[in-house]
Amino acid sequence: MTAIAIPPIAWPVDREIPDLDWQPPAGTRVISADDHWLEPPDLFVDRMPAKYRDQAPKVWRDETGTHLECEGRNLDSVGQNLNLTQGRPGMGNIEQRVPDMDAEGLDAGLIFAQVSMALFSLEDEELMIAAYDAYNEGLAEFCAGMPGRLYGVGILPTIYSPERTADYIQKLKALGYVAMQIPSYPRAERVWYNGSKWDVMWDAIEESGIPLSFHIGENPNYRGRGALGTYLTTGFQPFRRLWSLLTFSGTLERHPEMNVIFTEGGISWVPACLYDADKTYRQFESEMKPQLAEMPSYYWYRQCYATFMDDPSGIKLLDDIGPEHALWSADYPHPESTLGESRGLVKSFFDALPENQAKAIVGGNAARLWGI
């Protein structure tokens, strides 16, 4: 068989957005459930309390990209060409982001961090919380530059002291946040999401009414031959473990009003995971602790969601996933994003699905979930 040469996809900084002569049906809102901003060098300069001013995280840029340092350590992603991920000017500049969103046909987007999730590795918890105070203030200001179009995802930094969660969520609400996140896989020696200590955190999250997001790739680590391709290929479907932990521990069952979004892991993993979870529960039911009132899949359909960009297998399995549980995203402006292809992808959903389902996954579900 003769190999077919496939031209490489341009890096985000070089991508052109084609003028596609197509508009979605009337009443459609196109909302990306996962976009990013590039933290500015002055993010922590004036926002940190005086006692932490000298210890504040440092964001700095050079010809190799934007870097993050704190506690005398470089917190960059090891082995990554930062400019390839961060290079699109609209990532940190409102004036340059607007034309990109308009050309891609995006009405709104949920905005996640680029480098700041690495601050969860800090040893000084009070410094970490002060840094996330500054981050959340800075992101709220950035999104205010495009009201009604950019919605920041606030970072909830209380995983090490879950009893502080309720008070911190009030800070996020005061800043106008309708979305928040915690790490998908925090440091295991310090945090076990299924531990009883964290019940107070889940209680506060449910009580807040703010949906909770988890995002892939918080601690990428590339080493050795083939590490980048291996990490990315496996890293884009990492949520089977986390969803299972929240389900089998009874965390979802005990918090029926808590909505959980698994971000950038695609949707095609969901049907097989639900099948395996239900089968496992039936086979080992007498040994399950705690005992669940329903089969594991019930809790997915009651309160869980996942985002995807371009997932043809997931679209074919949409009935098994639940069309109301799938959220499309552009992932602006990463190399794996749909930058330059967003409008065409949205069109493909309307070509392949009933109109009501296409409207739901490209924005209707997001609008309902986050109240935007």
Side-chain angles (χ1 to χ4, degrees):
M1 181 180 293
T2 303
I4 300 175
I6 300 176
I9 299 174
W11 296 113
V13 68
D14 298 319
R15 283 189 204 172
E16 296 182 0
I17 302 176
D19 183 12
L20 183 63
D21 187 21
W22 177 84
Q23 296 294 330
T28 303
R29 291 186 69 196
V30 180
I31 300 173
S32 171
D34 174 28
D35 290 334
H36 294 266
W37 79 309
L38 185 57
E39 295 89 332
D42 64 352
L43 178 60
F44 302 101
V45 174
D46 297 322
R47 295 185 176 91
M48 296 288 286
K51 65 178 180 178
Y52 291 122
R53 200 66 53 82
D54 294 338
Q55 306 170 60
K58 294 180 174 60
V59 179
W60 55 280
R61 293 178 184 166
D62 63 12
E63 67 280 359
T64 66
T66 292
H67 308 272
L68 179 65
E69 295 179 0
C70 199
E71 292 185 333
R73 294 182 288 126
N74 186 314
L75 302 179
D76 289 352
S77 300
V78 176
Q80 187 181 73
N81 184 336
L82 300 177
N83 275 326
L84 301 183
T85 301
Q86 305 170 359
R88 190 80 177 185
M91 193 175 191
N93 184 292
I94 287 287
E95 287 73 23
Q96 291 173 293
R97 195 179 192 109
V98 172
D100 282 351
M101 290 185 70
D102 290 345
E104 292 273 83
L106 302 181
D107 295 308
L110 277 293
I111 311 300
F112 288 82
Q114 177 61 36
V115 300
S116 294
M117 289 300 285
L119 296 172
F120 276 103
S121 69
L122 298 184
E123 297 297 332
D124 186 332
E125 183 180 357
E126 297 307 317
L127 172 62
M128 180 197 74
I129 291 176
Y132 280 124
D133 285 345
Y135 170 88
N136 288 324
E137 291 172 8
L139 177 58
E141 292 175 11
F142 178 77
C143 292
M146 292 181 68
R149 300 197 70 181
L150 298 185
Y151 295 89
V153 180
I155 295 176
L156 184 58
T158 57
I159 59 171
Y160 304 129
S161 297
E163 68 280 357
R164 303 169 71 171
T165 301
D167 288 341
Y168 200 92
I169 290 176
Q170 294 308 309
K171 289 185 181 181
L172 295 180
K173 286 188 172 183
L175 290 169
Y177 283 102
V178 297
M180 61 186 176
Q181 70 175 125
I182 58 176
S184 299
Y185 295 106
R187 298 162 64 180
E189 71 275 12
R190 296 183 65 181
V191 178
W192 292 90
Y193 284 152
N194 58 341
S196 59
K197 176 181 176 180
W198 283 270
D199 286 346
V200 66
M201 181 181 77
W202 304 122
D203 291 346
I205 291 170
E206 180 183 37
E207 178 65 25
S208 75
I210 299 178
L212 179 68
S213 293
F214 295 98
H215 197 287
I216 71 163
E218 294 151 353
N219 295 296
N221 192 4
Y222 311 142
R223 287 189 175 90
R225 290 181 293 183
L228 176 61
T230 301
Y231 170 77
L232 292 174
T233 302
T234 59
F236 284 122
Q237 287 209 349
F239 288 127
R240 176 183 276 245
R241 175 186 167 191
L242 179 57
W243 177 82
S244 297
L245 181 72
L246 296 176
T247 301
F248 284 103
S249 68
T251 300
L252 295 178
E253 180 176 81
R254 294 191 302 273
H255 300 92
E257 301 302 319
M258 181 174 70
N259 291 312
V260 178
I261 305 97
F262 300 95
T263 306
E264 204 177 337
I267 54 175
S268 57
W269 64 274
V270 173
C273 181
L274 299 184
Y275 177 84
D276 289 345
D278 285 356
K279 184 177 180 180
T280 296
Y281 193 88
R282 288 193 299 269
Q283 291 171 328
F284 293 88
E285 184 169 4
S286 65
E287 305 305 305
M288 290 292 172
K289 298 178 182 178
Q291 296 280 304
L292 301 177
E294 306 286 350
M295 285 291 105
S297 62
Y298 171 85
Y299 303 101
W300 168 268
Y301 294 118
R302 186 176 72 179
Q303 61 200 104
C304 296
Y305 304 81
T307 79
F308 74 101
M309 293 175 279
D310 183 10
D311 191 342
S313 296
I315 293 297
K316 293 176 182 177
L317 296 168
L318 195 60
D319 287 340
D320 294 332
I321 297 161
E324 67 274 24
H325 297 275
L327 308 164
W328 177 76
S329 68
D331 192 36
Y332 180 91
H334 289 165
E336 69 274 13
S337 75
T338 66
L339 181 63
E341 302 174 343
S342 298
R343 196 183 292 269
L345 274 171
V346 170
K347 180 179 183 300
S348 75
F349 304 145
F350 281 94
D351 291 341
L353 299 170
E355 183 176 306
N356 65 319
Q357 290 188 5
K359 282 185 173 182
I361 67 173
V362 304
N365 292 338
R368 170 180 52 83
L369 179 62
W370 284 290
I372 56 175

